[in-house]
Each structure stands twice: as structure tokens, then as C-alpha cells.
Amino acid sequence: MSEIELSGLEKRYGDELAVEDVSVTIEDGELLCLLGPSGSGKSTTLRMIAGLTSPTDGEVHIGEDDVTDRPAYDRTTATVFQDWALFPHKTVLENVAFGLRMRSVSKDERQERAREMLDRVEMVDHADDDPTNLSGGQKQRVALARSLAVNPDVLLLDEPLSNLDKRLREDMQIELREIHEDLEKTFVHVTHDQDEAFTLADRIGIMADGELIQVGNPHEVYENP
Ligand code: ADP
Ligand code: ADP
């Protein structure tokens, strides 16, 4: 079970309330987009789900687990960021296999699994390439494969397509949607791009000034702006 429950989630930075009283249940296998302008608290919310930032109040539960209590090696989440952060001195395959090193998986198994993930994002032909030579879209596919290789229950995506040009972004939206349907994992996807949220989401959570002001499927959100 990888249902995510946020209850009364709050994050303060000094006097600033970055996230205020966010409560929502994200269902197992759902793709929820957090949509809102820059500075509305989307990224901070996502980082609290990832356990990368601790809340100043409230709780995050993933399934039975209280995220704030969990050690890093045992996380059920993986995160894809806007800037792909691939290791430049490793091949594409090594980049994808890297996360598995900490998980006592044999070398053969790591490579096999990494290839499988690269195949899924249509990058297996680039397995031996230097990632610095790839295009932005290709880098983001590799970053996605790397996150998926650890077989997380929950995939968190923080503006993963925002650095791509429009055409590629639209192609990747469709691909992400397909990957989500294929994997049946819970995805939480942060974006400031309304079209992207409408293309991708099962449900959209609208954030403004740190608050989650509306949650609904794209149709509901569209009808009641
Ligand atoms: P979004 O992802 O919607 O752009 P963020 O969650 O990044 O919004 O930021 C929400 C607010 O919190 C912003 O005003 C931002 O400046 C502030 N903030 C985020 N991270 C920090 C931090 N580490 N220290 C201080 N303020 C922060
Ligand atoms: P995003 O692009 O996801 O909104 P940012 O560029 O706002 O992220 O933040 C990147 C990093 O800088 C994060 O670790 C965030 O916590 C930190 N940060 C963001 N806003 C501030 C701020 N006002 N003061 C200090 N740190 C911040």
C-alpha cells in the first residue's frame, strides 16, 4: 500500500509560512499534480513527502509508515528533479545502476535491472554513452530510469519537464502518463504549467500562497476555477 496521507502539514522558514495546513489523501496508484505559481509551496510540500525537509507541524504517512520516522535507506519514494543531476564520469547505464549499489543487489542483477529501465524510457541504445553528450530530454529520461530502478512505491517529480522545449515537453507528458499507467505506482508531480497538469493528472491539487486551495479531477478543477 502506498497511499499518501498529508495531515495539517506546515513548513515555516523563520517568519515565512511556506506551506500552511495542507491535508490531502493521495490514493494508491494515483497521479496527482500539484499546480500553482512559483513560490506557492509545491516544492516544499514534495520535499516533505520525500522526507528531504521536515515539517514544522503536521504529518506525512505513506501506507503505514510515518515518513518523518524513516531512515533514508529504507525510503519507498524516489524523486526526479528539474535538473537531472546525472553523474558526468559514469556511463548512462552506470548512472541508472548506481542507486542499486546501496541495496545489496548483485552486479549482474543491477546491470540487468538498469537495462530494463533504460528500455522502458527508450534509452537502452545509449547505455554506454557519456550522459553529458545527451540532449535535455534524453537526460531527463535517464534520470527517470534511475529513479524507477530502485522500484519505489511512490515517484515524486519536481518540475521534471520545465527545462525542456515545448514540443519535447508535450511528448514527454504523454510518455510519463504511459509510464504511470504501465507501472501502477503513485506519482506526485509538481508543475506550474496548467496544460501539463491537465494532460497528466488523475487529480489536480491547486496551491496558492502555501495552501492547498482545491483538489479535484481535471474536469472538476476546470469547471470550478
Ligand atoms: P514552489 O515550489 O511552489 O515554487 P517553494 O516550495 O519552492 O514553492 O517555496 C515556497 C516558499 O518558501 C517560497 O516563498 C520560498 O522562497 C520559500 N522557501 C522554500 N525553501 C526555502 C528555504 N530553504 N529557506 C527559506 N525559504 C524557503
Ligand atoms: P524550486 O525550483 O523547486 O522551486 P528553488 O529553486 O525554490 O526550488 O529551491 C532550491 C533550493 O533552495 C531548495 O533546497 C530550497 O529549499 C532552497 N530555497 C528556496 N527558496 C529559498 C529561500 N527563500 N531562502 C533560502 N533557501 C531557499
Side-chain angles (χ1 to χ4, degrees), residues 120-139:
R120 194 181 283 277
V121 298
E122 293 171 15
M123 283 297 290
V124 78
D125 293 346
H126 295 273
D128 299 322
D129 288 2
D130 175 348
T132 51
N133 296 330
L134 301 176
S135 71
Q138 290 175 326
K139 284 179 186 165

mmCIF file of all heavy atoms in Angstrom, residues 120-139:
data_model
loop_
_atom_site.group_PDB
_atom_site.id
_atom_site.type_symbol
_atom_site.label_atom_id
_atom_site.label_comp_id
_atom_site.label_asym_id
_atom_site.label_seq_id
_atom_site.Cartn_x
_atom_site.Cartn_y
_atom_site.Cartn_z
ATOM 1 N N ARG A 120 12.610 0.847 -20.925
ATOM 2 C CA ARG A 120 11.294 1.420 -20.681
ATOM 3 C C ARG A 120 11.192 2.885 -21.098
ATOM 4 O O ARG A 120 10.151 3.344 -21.549
ATOM 5 C CB ARG A 120 10.946 1.287 -19.189
ATOM 6 C CG ARG A 120 9.508 1.542 -18.869
ATOM 7 C CD ARG A 120 9.287 1.422 -17.391
ATOM 8 N NE ARG A 120 9.233 0.045 -16.953
ATOM 9 C CZ ARG A 120 8.147 -0.720 -17.018
ATOM 10 N NH1 ARG A 120 7.049 -0.260 -17.509
ATOM 11 N NH2 ARG A 120 8.173 -1.952 -16.582
ATOM 12 N N VAL A 121 12.297 3.613 -20.942
ATOM 13 C CA VAL A 121 12.294 5.027 -21.333
ATOM 14 C C VAL A 121 12.942 5.239 -22.718
ATOM 15 O O VAL A 121 13.287 6.347 -23.094
ATOM 16 C CB VAL A 121 12.981 5.933 -20.277
ATOM 17 C CG1 VAL A 121 12.251 5.874 -18.953
ATOM 18 C CG2 VAL A 121 14.456 5.558 -20.099
ATOM 19 N N GLU A 122 13.094 4.121 -23.444
ATOM 20 C CA GLU A 122 13.632 4.142 -24.812
ATOM 21 C C GLU A 122 15.029 4.750 -24.897
ATOM 22 O O GLU A 122 15.332 5.523 -25.804
ATOM 23 C CB GLU A 122 12.652 4.859 -25.757
ATOM 24 C CG GLU A 122 11.367 4.063 -25.907
ATOM 25 C CD GLU A 122 10.264 4.788 -26.635
ATOM 26 O OE1 GLU A 122 10.563 5.799 -27.288
ATOM 27 O OE2 GLU A 122 9.114 4.344 -26.539
ATOM 28 N N MET A 123 15.872 4.370 -23.945
ATOM 29 C CA MET A 123 17.243 4.892 -23.923
ATOM 30 C C MET A 123 18.287 3.775 -23.876
ATOM 31 O O MET A 123 19.467 4.042 -23.639
ATOM 32 C CB MET A 123 17.433 5.820 -22.717
ATOM 33 C CG MET A 123 16.820 7.199 -22.875
ATOM 34 S SD MET A 123 17.561 8.167 -24.211
ATOM 35 C CE MET A 123 19.170 8.498 -23.498
ATOM 36 N N VAL A 124 17.850 2.547 -24.128
ATOM 37 C CA VAL A 124 18.782 1.422 -23.971
ATOM 38 C C VAL A 124 19.909 1.496 -25.006
ATOM 39 O O VAL A 124 21.036 1.074 -24.732
ATOM 40 C CB VAL A 124 18.018 0.064 -23.981
ATOM 41 C CG1 VAL A 124 17.622 -0.360 -25.378
ATOM 42 C CG2 VAL A 124 18.817 -1.014 -23.256
ATOM 43 N N ASP A 125 19.667 2.096 -26.152
ATOM 44 C CA ASP A 125 20.719 2.263 -27.169
ATOM 45 C C ASP A 125 21.819 3.222 -26.712
ATOM 46 O O ASP A 125 22.879 3.276 -27.315
ATOM 47 C CB ASP A 125 20.125 2.810 -28.482
ATOM 48 C CG ASP A 125 19.208 1.787 -29.139
ATOM 49 O OD1 ASP A 125 19.246 0.608 -28.726
ATOM 50 O OD2 ASP A 125 18.450 2.180 -30.046
ATOM 51 N N HIS A 126 21.539 3.984 -25.667
ATOM 52 C CA HIS A 126 22.521 4.946 -25.169
ATOM 53 C C HIS A 126 23.209 4.462 -23.894
ATOM 54 O O HIS A 126 23.871 5.241 -23.213
ATOM 55 C CB HIS A 126 21.837 6.287 -24.890
ATOM 56 C CG HIS A 126 21.309 6.951 -26.125
ATOM 57 N ND1 HIS A 126 22.079 7.779 -26.905
ATOM 58 C CD2 HIS A 126 20.106 6.882 -26.726
ATOM 59 C CE1 HIS A 126 21.356 8.213 -27.931
ATOM 60 N NE2 HIS A 126 20.150 7.681 -27.845
ATOM 61 N N ALA A 127 23.047 3.179 -23.563
ATOM 62 C CA ALA A 127 23.537 2.648 -22.283
ATOM 63 C C ALA A 127 25.005 2.983 -22.014
ATOM 64 O O ALA A 127 25.377 3.296 -20.890
ATOM 65 C CB ALA A 127 23.322 1.134 -22.220
ATOM 66 N N ASP A 128 25.830 2.928 -23.050
ATOM 67 C CA ASP A 128 27.270 3.127 -22.840
ATOM 68 C C ASP A 128 27.723 4.562 -23.090
ATOM 69 O O ASP A 128 28.903 4.868 -23.036
ATOM 70 C CB ASP A 128 28.056 2.168 -23.747
ATOM 71 C CG ASP A 128 27.728 0.721 -23.417
ATOM 72 O OD1 ASP A 128 27.567 0.418 -22.210
ATOM 73 O OD2 ASP A 128 27.584 -0.089 -24.353
ATOM 74 N N ASP A 129 26.776 5.456 -23.351
ATOM 75 C CA ASP A 129 27.130 6.850 -23.642
ATOM 76 C C ASP A 129 27.509 7.623 -22.387
ATOM 77 O O ASP A 129 27.139 7.264 -21.272
ATOM 78 C CB ASP A 129 25.952 7.587 -24.303
ATOM 79 C CG ASP A 129 25.716 7.125 -25.732
ATOM 80 O OD1 ASP A 129 26.436 6.217 -26.193
ATOM 81 O OD2 ASP A 129 24.784 7.657 -26.371
ATOM 82 N N ASP A 130 28.221 8.711 -22.633
ATOM 83 C CA ASP A 130 28.517 9.685 -21.586
ATOM 84 C C ASP A 130 27.292 10.603 -21.467
ATOM 85 O O ASP A 130 26.879 11.194 -22.459
ATOM 86 C CB ASP A 130 29.753 10.475 -22.051
ATOM 87 C CG ASP A 130 30.111 11.613 -21.119
ATOM 88 O OD1 ASP A 130 29.298 11.960 -20.234
ATOM 89 O OD2 ASP A 130 31.210 12.155 -21.292
ATOM 90 N N PRO A 131 26.696 10.709 -20.294
ATOM 91 C CA PRO A 131 25.444 11.477 -20.179
ATOM 92 C C PRO A 131 25.593 12.953 -20.533
ATOM 93 O O PRO A 131 24.608 13.588 -20.906
ATOM 94 C CB PRO A 131 25.038 11.298 -18.719
ATOM 95 C CG PRO A 131 26.249 10.823 -18.014
ATOM 96 C CD PRO A 131 27.094 10.109 -19.014
ATOM 97 N N THR A 132 26.808 13.490 -20.449
ATOM 98 C CA THR A 132 26.975 14.916 -20.766
ATOM 99 C C THR A 132 26.702 15.202 -22.252
ATOM 100 O O THR A 132 26.439 16.336 -22.612
ATOM 101 C CB THR A 132 28.389 15.423 -20.391
ATOM 102 O OG1 THR A 132 29.350 14.534 -20.954
ATOM 103 C CG2 THR A 132 28.576 15.480 -18.893
ATOM 104 N N ASN A 133 26.769 14.162 -23.083
ATOM 105 C CA ASN A 133 26.517 14.365 -24.517
ATOM 106 C C ASN A 133 25.057 14.232 -24.909
ATOM 107 O O ASN A 133 24.717 14.386 -26.076
ATOM 108 C CB ASN A 133 27.330 13.353 -25.344
ATOM 109 C CG ASN A 133 28.823 13.572 -25.180
ATOM 110 O OD1 ASN A 133 29.260 14.704 -24.960
ATOM 111 N ND2 ASN A 133 29.600 12.516 -25.258
ATOM 112 N N LEU A 134 24.208 13.941 -23.964
ATOM 113 C CA LEU A 134 22.791 13.736 -24.290
ATOM 114 C C LEU A 134 22.037 15.061 -24.339
ATOM 115 O O LEU A 134 22.447 16.050 -23.735
ATOM 116 C CB LEU A 134 22.138 12.846 -23.231
ATOM 117 C CG LEU A 134 22.736 11.453 -23.021
ATOM 118 C CD1 LEU A 134 22.014 10.758 -21.864
ATOM 119 C CD2 LEU A 134 22.644 10.621 -24.296
ATOM 120 N N SER A 135 20.916 15.056 -25.042
ATOM 121 C CA SER A 135 20.026 16.226 -25.045
ATOM 122 C C SER A 135 19.291 16.311 -23.705
ATOM 123 O O SER A 135 19.273 15.341 -22.932
ATOM 124 C CB SER A 135 19.004 16.088 -26.173
ATOM 125 O OG SER A 135 18.086 15.064 -25.852
ATOM 126 N N GLY A 136 18.659 17.446 -23.443
ATOM 127 C CA GLY A 136 17.923 17.634 -22.189
ATOM 128 C C GLY A 136 16.853 16.571 -21.977
ATOM 129 O O GLY A 136 16.705 16.026 -20.879
ATOM 130 N N GLY A 137 16.129 16.265 -23.044
ATOM 131 C CA GLY A 137 15.061 15.266 -22.942
ATOM 132 C C GLY A 137 15.624 13.883 -22.643
ATOM 133 O O GLY A 137 15.070 13.127 -21.846
ATOM 134 N N GLN A 138 16.762 13.573 -23.302
ATOM 135 C CA GLN A 138 17.393 12.265 -23.059
ATOM 136 C C GLN A 138 17.910 12.172 -21.630
ATOM 137 O O GLN A 138 17.768 11.142 -20.973
ATOM 138 C CB GLN A 138 18.531 12.053 -24.055
ATOM 139 C CG GLN A 138 18.037 11.848 -25.476
ATOM 140 C CD GLN A 138 19.177 11.764 -26.470
ATOM 141 O OE1 GLN A 138 20.205 12.425 -26.312
ATOM 142 N NE2 GLN A 138 19.001 10.949 -27.496
ATOM 143 N N LYS A 139 18.487 13.265 -21.143
ATOM 144 C CA LYS A 139 18.971 13.271 -19.754
ATOM 145 C C LYS A 139 17.814 13.027 -18.783
ATOM 146 O O LYS A 139 17.952 12.291 -17.811
ATOM 147 C CB LYS A 139 19.628 14.612 -19.417
ATOM 148 C CG LYS A 139 21.012 14.773 -20.005
ATOM 149 C CD LYS A 139 21.562 16.137 -19.649
ATOM 150 C CE LYS A 139 22.893 16.371 -20.347
ATOM 151 N NZ LYS A 139 23.312 17.762 -20.337
#
